[in-house]
Amino acid sequence: MDFQYSEEQRLLADSAARFVRERYDFETRQRIAMGEAGFSAEHWAQMADQGWLALPFAEADGGLGAGPVEMMIVMEALGRGLVVEPYLPTVVLAGGVVAACGNADQRAALLPAIATGELKAAFAHAEAAARYSPAFTACEARPAEGGGYVLTGAKSVVLGAPLADRLVVLARTGRKPGTAQGLSLFLVDPAADGVVVRGYPTTDGQRAGDVLLDGVRVGADAMLGPRGQGLAVAERVLDAATAMLCAEALGAMDAAVAMTREHLRTRTQFGRPIGDFQVLQHRLVDMTIAAEEARSLTIRAALMLDADEAERRAAVSAAKVTVGDRGRFIAAQAVQLHGGMGVSDDMAVGHYFKRLYMVEQLFGDSAYHRDRWHALQ
């Protein structure tokens, strides 16, 4: 696929690459990831100053009105640096839901604050029994006496939940789990009575949490979009997040290939660099080809986010399967070619391994997306 950036996109790519290179080296990343907060307020503010938190939102909502290509550029740079700040949970997921179906007051209250870095948010959509499908949401939102709703249920592995100032919750206002109708979206304050967020670090250094909702009372104005029509919004936002996750994985793949190439160039065995051995050269070439295959389908998925539902879903699933498979291959090869030290916490390559394996699981693993792709053919 022949794909050239515009001048503005090249400048964005340069600034994002410079941010990672100059302000987010591996030692800095490790210090942030292992810290109590799990993110750096300083780096989050710098990302806001760069305009990255405002990229996808309309200018009327305090954003820059950028498209999926610009978002891809930023996500790829964040993947290259293994950045742990909650960009995907806040800007792409929760911010994407508010931008897609929030009314004027809701957008005005939340999106400018997200764009300036004042507010972090998370999208509580996944449940333990749902197996990646939001249609199987069981969390309930029942009408309350005097108006509003009462939310009861549990959400699993909510990305960015321990850091969030606001939660967007997918809950059932009608029908039974497994049906497409009857799902609605709500804004929930994580500090409200009945909300418990059990936060934890994930294997790859990110932060997530399980969210328990026990009779949480919200007003009628907390509903985002029309009642019972939340599934289509949730699926569209999750597809966008999946495409952006694939873009992040591209950055991680490129970094893993580059550090492996450097290791083969500098590591000596039998008096010569191990990169001189042809069998290892072949493995490095295979890694490079795998990264390019993933790149082509990720670009296509991003460009298809505004297509009709079937085309969008097929493109995103094809990209997710490819990125999951190629990412795991590259991660495994990178660790093997580094030898036993590749799995040491002191070496960056092992952390790219963890992130790429986690990417394969997020928003549906390869088996889930293969099934979804086949169902659309």
Side-chain angles (χ1 to χ4, degrees), residues 11-364:
L11 291 173
L12 176 61
D14 289 344
S15 68
R18 187 165 55 251
F19 170 84
V20 170
R21 184 174 61 251
E22 297 178 357
R23 303 180 186 178
Y24 220 93
D25 57 37
F26 177 64
E27 290 73 21
T28 299
R29 187 264 183 188
Q30 287 299 88
R31 185 172 64 253
I32 296 171
M34 293 187 294
E36 183 178 353
F39 88 110
S40 165
E42 177 185 358
H43 286 86
W44 188 247
Q46 291 170 352
M47 292 166 71
D49 291 342
Q50 296 272 10
W52 299 346
L53 308 187
L55 271 180
F57 307 129
E59 294 183 17
D61 294 326
L64 298 177
V69 174
E70 288 76 16
M71 291 294 292
M72 270 191 62
I73 289 170
V74 171
M75 289 299 299
E76 186 173 348
L78 299 184
R80 192 173 295 111
L82 291 179
V83 173
V84 298
E85 277 62 40
Y87 190 85
L88 184 71
T90 295
V91 178
V92 182
L93 284 167
V97 172
V98 175
C101 65
N103 60 37
D105 290 339
Q106 291 165 335
R107 296 197 310 274
L110 298 174
L111 296 184
I114 289 175
T116 58
E118 300 171 48
L119 184 142
K120 296 180 291 298
F123 183 24
H125 62 91
E127 297 183 9
R131 293 296 300 161
Y132 304 124
S133 175
F136 284 88
T137 294
C139 178
E140 290 185 330
R142 296 182 176 179
E145 293 184 9
Y149 293 86
V150 176
L151 275 61
T152 302
K155 297 292 181 177
S156 301
V157 197
V158 180
L159 302 179
L163 314 175
D165 305 300
R166 195 73 77 246
L167 298 172
V168 175
V169 177
L170 182 67
R172 189 162 290 284
T173 49
R175 304 295 181 90
K176 63 180 181 179
T179 56
Q181 298 78 27
L183 286 168
S184 302
L185 294 154
F186 296 89
L187 290 168
V188 176
D189 185 344
D193 290 341
V195 181
V196 177
V197 178
R198 296 175 178 169
Y200 44 80
T202 56
T203 303
D204 55 348
Q206 307 282 322
R207 295 298 169 103
D210 295 333
V211 177
L212 305 180
L213 304 163
D214 184 10
V216 180
R217 180 75 179 260
V218 297
D221 59 351
M223 182 178 286
L224 289 160
R227 175 186 167 114
Q229 298 182 29
L231 180 61
V233 174
E235 289 182 334
R236 189 163 68 249
V237 170
L238 287 171
D239 277 347
T242 302
M244 293 306 113
L245 181 69
C246 289
E248 179 191 340
L250 294 180
M253 289 184 213
D254 284 347
V257 171
M259 63 181 60
T260 302
R261 182 183 299 111
E262 179 65 13
H263 178 73
L264 296 182
R265 188 183 69 83
T266 57
R267 180 76 170 179
T268 58
Q269 192 81 35
F270 307 112
R272 59 194 292 196
I274 61 175
D276 287 352
F277 296 99
Q278 192 174 57
V279 66
L280 300 187
Q281 294 175 10
H282 289 170
R283 292 174 70 175
L284 185 63
V285 169
D286 289 341
M287 293 169 66
T288 304
I289 292 172
E292 289 306 308
E293 289 172 340
R295 181 176 301 279
S296 294
L297 285 171
T298 297
I299 292 172
R300 184 175 185 274
L303 295 178
M304 295 294 285
L305 289 178
D306 292 328
D308 66 54
E309 180 181 359
E311 290 181 315
R312 181 197 77 220
R313 289 162 67 88
V316 169
S317 285
K320 187 60 163 60
V321 170
T322 305
V323 166
D325 291 351
R326 305 307 189 270
R328 286 186 291 111
F329 170 77
I330 289 171
Q333 293 294 313
V335 166
Q336 289 177 12
L337 291 173
H338 276 79
M341 62 184 177
V343 295
S344 168
D345 277 349
D346 294 332
M347 290 200 69
V349 66
H351 296 272
Y352 286 95
F353 177 96
K354 293 176 183 178
R355 183 56 181 164
L356 287 170
Y357 267 72
M358 183 66 80
V359 164
E360 200 273 338
Q361 297 293 319
L362 287 174
F363 309 139

